[in-house]
Amino acid sequence: MVKVWTLLGHENRNSEPLYEHESKQIRCLNALAMTCCPYNQRTVLIVCSKHWQIYDAGDFSLLCSITAPCGERWMSGDFLAADRVILWSDEGHGYLYKLPANSVADNKNFHSAGVEYDQPYLYCTLMQPGDKPLSCPPAMRLVTVQKQSKILKYLLRGDSEGIVLWTVPEITTQQLTQICQNDCSIPLSLPPAVKTSITAAWEEMKPSPVGILDQLDSGDVHGIKLTASIYLPQQSRLVVGREDGSIIIVPATQTVMLHLLHGNHQQYDDWPPHQVLLGHSGRVNCLLYPHGAAPRYDRTHLVSGSVDFAVCLWDLYAGTLIHRFCVHAGEITQLMVPPDNCSPRIQKCVCSVASDHSVTLLSLAERKCVVLASRHLFPVVTIKWRPLDDFMIVGCSDGAVYVWQMETGHLDRVLHGIIAEEVLYACDENTMAASGGSATGGELGLANPAVHFFRGLRHRNLSAIRHATQRGLHQLQQLHGGQGVDHGNQIKAKGTPLMIQGFRSNPKDPESHILFFDIEALIVQLLSDEYGAMSPGSLEAQGLISASEYQKVAALTQSASPDAHKKIADFFGRVKDKAGDVERILKEKDRHGILAKMKEGAENVHTKIQAKVESVGLKPSTLDGKGDNWNNNDAMKNNLKRNGAFNEPNATMEVAQLILSLLHAWGIDPDLDRVCEGKLGLLRPMVPVSFGVLSKGGINEYDVVYEIYMFIIQSYV
């Protein structure tokens, strides 16, 4: 169907709706592009995936049509002249055609019946010699440039392999007639005039760019490709997945300093320390730190998805594999977390997407799959949520939308066409309303549990019935308590001074990393660390607090009764005495020395394991300890704590040192360089560094770097 509207030029958003002036049914299925000839306004080019067609703009009658080459699909096209068009396909090729006489408005045979010998003639192709198959359809466009008094046309292609530019040849009518008379079976093929890519640019760099884990490469052996990464701001750690299935955890700032800055750290062989997680048998595709996405998750959990069809749950601090989910029948492509206002059971799950078009909800608490949505016929492209209705909305590449019940795992309905688009749009509206509105509407966090209870009865799902009952009781407790389910998640996470983002220009290339510094968050964190180390007297001297207000707050934390401290001390004393009595009783009853033998046996096994590890040439694995060249003082080792705090010397000051070392104009003022190295502790860069500036709220953050200089200078003075 083709429709024509008549515009007068004074239309605006407040005017009445405009209806089509003319409409006609044409033989065109799934049109992708439509272009009117700018040279005569009499012909229209309509491009479909299987063929392109020329229509008369007056009555929309078909003038000519050409099918796509074998194995290719048309994407779009444009007019080069009144009698010539250019088309390009999803393989990144360009095709130049001469239109027949009945398709040219200036020809006397225009709109006449086409003859067999007068068909669109392919006289030139734009291809790249040795072109590899593309991972996805490219973005292509015809660009017209006026250079002095000459008009040049270029065909521009951008894809995962890089950028390719062809110069569209200027062929006169006489040359084109001669080419048609020669009747060559193979048209003229032109190579690209310009070809470039990030990979080629990096290969030409001298010195070559460094990688975030180059310290793990041995000698001249090419390192293992990095395929996924995630930065943990609270722990100042970078988690990197590799092509061999291993996962490496390194200190972020120290690792960046090792590759970019000169310093004493270059003298050590095993710095910075790292941790290795082994559990996947193939490439790691995605990583997820659930606690970073939503504070309701355990801060020790790390989730990874691999090409081996498995989703692994790790203990981040112990470095151990907790559970391995083997539910999918394809490689894992994406990991995400459900919204906060889902049911309590779903809130403990993570969502995984695989290449077999399946979606699952995996419970980290129950260590099992709660929902397996595996009836999708095409790849999954989007996932939306309707938590108040207990729905997970899955959109596929064919436009179909699947609505799944999260509690029962039942497929509620399948939608197509406009209804499917409206459902996805309604999910977006619901998300915006939930984030922008008040918390009263979703205070209970979920719909009536009776709905889910009857769904469980209908599908005979005992698990859903049990969870719906528990949810009903939980809602009653929340209602009488006066707090919503999301009461603990109302505090917004503050900005982080450093963020490391991985990117790839091509899915086949190893992952690279970009450093993002938030100057405002860095200043706030530096001031917070400084004020946190001050005493109340120092804060009052600086004019930051009032002593009277401080005493009021301090009085609230003191015990109301004078004897409270004595009572608490007596209580803990009795607990300690009771524990001593229990231990003495156990020893008296253990006449055969079973406990002592078990303890001695455990110590013997530990000694044998450690001796075996040292005999094969391996070092005892320390998660954050330093190498052999470091001091063995236990107080100096950075051990991971169960409370989630990494005992960093001063991560905030390291970030400030890193950014100032990279931004300082070294070599301009030698005296200032000596001050920066001796007083401020800045380090000279080892390799050239490129950087850009991002605005935040209209404020250029680069202008705020001066404040960090002043703060660090004051700290050292």
Side-chain angles (χ1 to χ4, degrees), residues 515-549:
L515 307 181
F516 293 92
F517 294 93
D518 190 337
I519 306 301
E520 180 183 353
L522 180 56
I523 294 175
V524 171
Q525 189 63 41
L526 288 172
L527 294 175
S528 300
D529 294 345
E530 182 186 18
Y531 296 156
M534 289 185 178
S535 62
S538 301
L539 292 174
E540 185 180 9
Q542 296 289 337
L544 300 175
I545 65 171
S546 173
S548 59
E549 296 296 331

Side-chain angles (χ1 to χ4, degrees), residues 157-366:
R157 186 185 90 177
D159 52 54
S160 57
E161 295 292 338
I163 298 176
V164 183
L165 180 69
W166 287 275
T167 301
V168 178
E170 294 184 2
I171 300 178
T172 62
T173 306
Q174 183 179 0
Q175 293 174 342
L176 186 57
T177 304
Q178 185 178 359
I179 293 175
C180 296
Q181 291 176 355
N182 294 335
D183 194 16
C184 298
S185 58
I186 301 178
L188 176 65
S189 180
L190 294 181
V194 178
K195 178 185 177 183
T196 183
S197 65
I198 297 180
T199 303
W202 282 12
E203 291 177 352
E204 296 175 358
M205 289 182 61
K206 301 297 180 182
S208 59
V210 297
I212 199 76
L213 294 183
D214 283 357
Q215 73 272 17
L216 302 182
D217 297 344
S218 56
D220 298 333
V221 180
H222 188 67
I224 304 173
K225 289 184 178 181
L226 312 183
T227 56
S229 63
I230 183 174
Y231 176 63
L232 311 182
Q234 296 178 353
Q235 294 85 352
S236 186
R237 287 299 192 272
L238 181 65
V239 184
V240 182
R242 304 200 293 179
E243 194 174 30
D244 63 345
S246 61
I247 299 175
I248 310 296
I249 304 177
V250 294
T253 53
Q254 297 176 7
T255 303
V256 174
M257 288 182 178
L258 175 67
H259 298 300
L260 298 183
L261 304 177
H262 287 285
N264 295 330
H265 49 259
Q266 302 291 338
Q267 304 175 5
Y268 303 113
D269 296 333
D270 191 15
W271 192 91
H274 66 277
Q275 178 189 9
V276 182
L277 305 181
L278 299 177
H280 288 294
S281 59
R283 180 182 69 249
V284 179
N285 287 337
C286 47
L287 294 167
L288 175 66
Y289 182 52
H291 182 75
R296 64 178 183 269
Y297 292 96
D298 191 341
R299 66 172 62 246
T300 64
H301 285 169
L302 175 71
V303 185
S304 62
S306 171
V307 73
D308 60 0
F309 304 175
V311 176
C312 290
L313 175 63
W314 307 87
D315 189 318
L316 181 64
Y317 302 106
T320 57
L321 177 62
I322 299 177
H323 189 75
R324 183 182 178 92
F325 298 93
C326 297
V327 183
H328 295 280
E331 61 179 274
I332 313 302
T333 59
Q334 190 177 2
L335 294 170
M336 65 187 74
V337 298
D340 291 334
N341 51 350
C342 289
S343 65
R345 187 189 188 195
I346 302 301
Q347 286 184 6
K348 300 176 182 178
C349 297
V350 295
C351 179
S352 61
V353 184
S355 60
D356 65 335
H357 314 162
S358 62
V359 179
T360 62
L361 291 177
L362 307 175
S363 176
L364 304 184
E366 303 176 27

Side-chain angles (χ1 to χ4, degrees), residues 539-568:
L539 292 174
E540 185 180 9
Q542 296 289 337
L544 300 175
I545 65 171
S546 173
S548 59
E549 296 296 331
Y550 178 80
Q551 294 297 334
K552 292 180 181 179
V553 176
L556 296 177
T557 61
Q558 297 178 356
S559 302
S561 174
D563 299 333
H565 294 287
K566 182 178 179 181
K567 293 180 180 179
I568 294 175

Side-chain angles (χ1 to χ4, degrees), residues 490-645:
Q490 296 296 327
I491 302 176
K492 295 183 178 180
K494 60 181 179 179
T496 57
L498 174 64
M499 180 61 65
I500 301 179
Q501 180 67 46
F503 81 98
R504 276 180 288 178
S505 60
N506 191 318
K508 297 175 291 185
D509 292 340
E511 191 168 65
S512 305
H513 297 85
I514 303 177
L515 307 181
F516 293 92
F517 294 93
D518 190 337
I519 306 301
E520 180 183 353
L522 180 56
I523 294 175
V524 171
Q525 189 63 41
L526 288 172
L527 294 175
S528 300
D529 294 345
E530 182 186 18
Y531 296 156
M534 289 185 178
S535 62
S538 301
L539 292 174
E540 185 180 9
Q542 296 289 337
L544 300 175
I545 65 171
S546 173
S548 59
E549 296 296 331
Y550 178 80
Q551 294 297 334
K552 292 180 181 179
V553 176
L556 296 177
T557 61
Q558 297 178 356
S559 302
S561 174
D563 299 333
H565 294 287
K566 182 178 179 181
K567 293 180 180 179
I568 294 175
D570 294 341
F571 172 75
F572 282 109
R574 290 195 299 271
V575 172
K576 182 178 180 181
D577 295 339
K578 187 66 176 178
D581 296 340
V582 172
E583 182 179 3
R584 185 174 61 256
I585 294 173
L586 289 176
K587 289 183 178 179
E588 292 176 357
K589 292 186 176 182
D590 187 21
R591 299 177 181 179
H592 301 285
I594 296 178
L595 296 177
K597 291 180 181 180
M598 292 176 62
K599 182 178 180 182
E600 181 180 359
E603 293 177 351
N604 293 336
V605 171
H606 175 74
T607 304
K608 291 180 181 179
I609 292 177
Q610 186 173 3
K612 184 64 176 178
V613 170
E614 295 177 352
S615 65
V616 298
L618 297 176
K619 298 180 181 179
S621 61
T622 58
L623 191 58
D624 206 21
K626 299 188 169 54
D628 297 333
N629 295 330
W630 287 82
N631 189 351
N632 292 327
N633 186 7
D634 293 338
M636 297 295 294
K637 295 183 179 179
N638 299 328
N639 294 324
L640 298 180
K641 302 299 181 182
R642 274 287 171 180
N643 58 5

Side-chain angles (χ1 to χ4, degrees), residues 22 89 127-128 137 219 224 240 271 324 371 386 394 405 412 438 460 471 512-513 526 580 625:
E22 182 182 355
S89 67
M127 296 185 181
Q128 180 180 347
I224 304 173
V240 182
W271 192 91
R324 183 182 178 92
V371 176
R386 295 281 294 186
V394 179
Q405 297 175 6
D412 190 85
S438 62
R460 300 180 181 180
R471 286 173 51 191
S512 305
H513 297 85
L526 288 172

